Amino acid sequence: MKNRILKIEHEVGLGGVAIGTAFENITDKQAEDILTGAWAAGVRHYDTSPWYGLTKSERRFGEFLKTKNRGEFIFSTKVGRLFEPVSESEVPPVMWKNPLNYNFRHDYTCDAVMRSIEDSLERTGLDYIDIIYVHDLSEDQVGDRYKFFMEQAKNGAFKTLSKLRDEGVIKAWGMGVNKIEPILECIKDADPDICLSATQYSILEHDDEVEYLLPAVKKAGVSLVSGAGYNSGYIAGRKRYNYKEQIPVKIEEKKKKMDTVAKKHHVDLVHAALQFVLAADAFAAIIPGASTPQQVTDNVKARTTEIPKVFWDDLRAEELIHKNAETPT
């Protein structure tokens, strides 16, 4: 069984989706303030992707982190898309509010992975990258090309990243996806170390993960990192769920019931959501995004906030969490 590489003091990290202008046009100065606040709060685990803001988030993280002692922090980014500069009029429609002028294409071949890593190192100015995730190789992102790209990755990205890890160029690799199936397929056919599970395991929605994903990664000796553990802000009160404005009715109803239980026990549901994820033994870390320095500080605080056991007992009694879900002790 592999060693768990991130179950250390860096359990609470910072994700780069918001800094990439996913929800609002965060300026360079605001991004710098968020990163400065994160560092001051003790955050030493940072995750981004060239996809976020069409390379903007990655550049912003690099601009800040390249001034720090490289041995003091963990940095992860992603492969799976290649980017080419274009004119402003040629930028494709994307979710980012103010992306840079790039177009992109999915590519999971060996050559594409090597180029992507080289580009990320150049954009960030860092000497090396700790963890590489194979990004968005799932049906919700690539549609009916999923099987084609998965075969491409099995013959390209997976083997290449294992080789780079074994040579010491990177420390670890895995999938970075919004679905559990690609992670299950990857651990069956390759030897990843750690996978970024986004929007999948949260206090609001986790049944399939408890029943299928967590047992599989435990058996394989693979760790997990949680992305979008607040369901892209919905748990914190945002009017979006898993990056979409349409919120499932059953989720709205479930959150109302959870809010009632939380209010009864004077619990901050955001704090409970963070602790719920980290209570699962498979999760080495959680990397919430942030639009303000205060959000980062609150995420760090959430790790040690005392939450009464009766709160978790009530959630389980009302069948608001899976009967076998791990909870804080």
Side-chain angles (χ1 to χ4, degrees):
M1 182 173 290
K2 300 182 182 74
N3 292 324
R4 298 181 61 184
I5 63 169
L6 280 179
K7 199 64 177 179
I8 49 177
E9 68 268 28
H10 308 304
E11 286 183 323
V12 180
L14 175 65
V17 170
I19 284 177
T21 70
F23 312 117
E24 58 185 280
N25 182 21
I26 289 177
T27 65
D28 288 342
K29 178 61 167 62
Q30 288 173 311
E32 182 183 4
D33 289 345
I34 294 165
L35 289 160
T36 299
W39 189 270
V43 173
R44 297 295 183 270
H45 177 189
Y46 301 90
D47 173 79
T48 187
S49 167
W51 168 236
Y52 305 158
L54 304 186
T55 79
K56 178 176 281 190
S57 178
E58 201 173 56
R59 295 174 194 274
R60 285 173 163 177
F61 273 79
E63 188 66 26
F64 179 80
L65 291 172
K66 69 183 182 183
T67 66
K68 305 301 181 184
N69 184 329
R70 185 61 187 89
E72 290 188 28
F73 62 89
I74 293 169
F75 179 76
S76 58
T77 191
K78 305 176 180 76
V79 298
R81 292 181 178 91
L82 292 177
F83 296 82
E84 298 290 347
V86 295
S87 67
E88 185 174 352
S89 63
E90 295 175 305
V91 176
V94 287
M95 63 182 286
W96 316 106
K97 302 303 182 185
N98 188 18
L100 297 181
N101 294 350
Y102 283 84
N103 201 348
F104 66 92
R105 61 182 172 87
H106 290 272
D107 195 328
Y108 297 92
T109 62
C110 172
D111 289 345
V113 166
M114 296 301 294
R115 177 185 158 186
S116 185
I117 292 173
E118 290 174 4
D119 288 349
S120 291
L121 288 170
E122 182 177 353
R123 282 189 289 263
T124 60
L126 299 177
D127 295 330
Y128 61 90
I129 298 165
D130 296 287
I131 304 169
I132 295 288
Y133 295 114
V134 179
H135 200 196
D136 285 345
L137 180 45
S138 55
E139 288 191 30
D140 64 312
Q141 297 295 324
V142 299
D144 58 8
R145 296 173 294 169
Y146 171 71
K147 289 185 178 179
F148 169 79
F149 281 129
M150 178 56 76
E151 287 303 311
Q152 190 179 75
K154 288 177 183 178
N155 294 315
F158 295 175
K159 293 178 180 179
T160 301
L161 293 171
S162 287
K163 184 173 183 288
L164 292 176
R165 178 202 58 210
D166 295 345
E167 292 173 349
V169 177
I170 61 175
K171 295 181 181 178
W173 75 273
M175 302 296 284
V177 288
N178 301 331
K179 301 291 183 181
I180 67 173
E181 292 79 12
I183 296 177
L184 297 176
E185 191 163 355
C186 179
I187 63 177
K188 181 182 70 174
D189 295 309
D191 64 341
D193 310 280
I194 190 161
C195 291
L196 176 53
S197 172
T199 72
Q200 301 168 57
Y201 190 84
S202 75
I203 197 170
L204 278 173
E205 198 170 20
H206 53 265
D207 288 1
D208 286 348
E209 289 68 36
V210 169
E211 294 180 13
Y212 304 109
L213 181 63
L214 300 192
V217 296
K218 182 177 181 180
K219 182 178 179 180
V222 174
S223 297
L224 295 174
V225 170
S226 169
Y230 304 151
N231 299 109
S232 72
Y234 181 65
I235 291 174
R238 305 295 187 271
K239 299 300 181 182
R240 58 177 181 262
Y241 186 78
N242 294 352
Y243 304 113
K244 297 178 181 179
E245 293 183 359
Q246 291 183 328
I247 301 167
V249 173
K250 68 175 184 177
I251 292 297
E252 287 186 308
E253 294 173 350
K254 190 173 186 180
K255 185 175 183 296
K256 288 178 181 178
K257 292 177 181 178
M258 282 193 174
D259 285 336
T260 299
V261 177
K263 184 176 181 180
K264 173 183 175 182
H265 297 291
H266 307 288
V267 168
D268 185 324
L269 192 60
V270 172
H271 293 186
L274 183 140
Q275 290 193 23
F276 176 81
V277 170
L278 292 178
D281 188 56
F283 280 92
I286 185 171
I287 49 166
S291 299
T292 67
Q294 291 73 27
Q295 288 177 356
V296 183
T297 302
D298 191 58
N299 289 332
V300 173
K301 176 185 176 183
R303 183 68 186 100
T304 55
T305 299
E306 185 174 345
I307 296 176
K309 181 178 179 296
V310 67
F311 167 76
W312 302 108
D313 293 341
D314 282 0
L315 290 185
R316 204 180 305 275
E318 294 190 30
E319 299 183 344
L320 295 173
I321 58 175
H322 193 284
K323 63 180 180 180
N324 295 326
E326 298 168 81
T327 51
T329 57

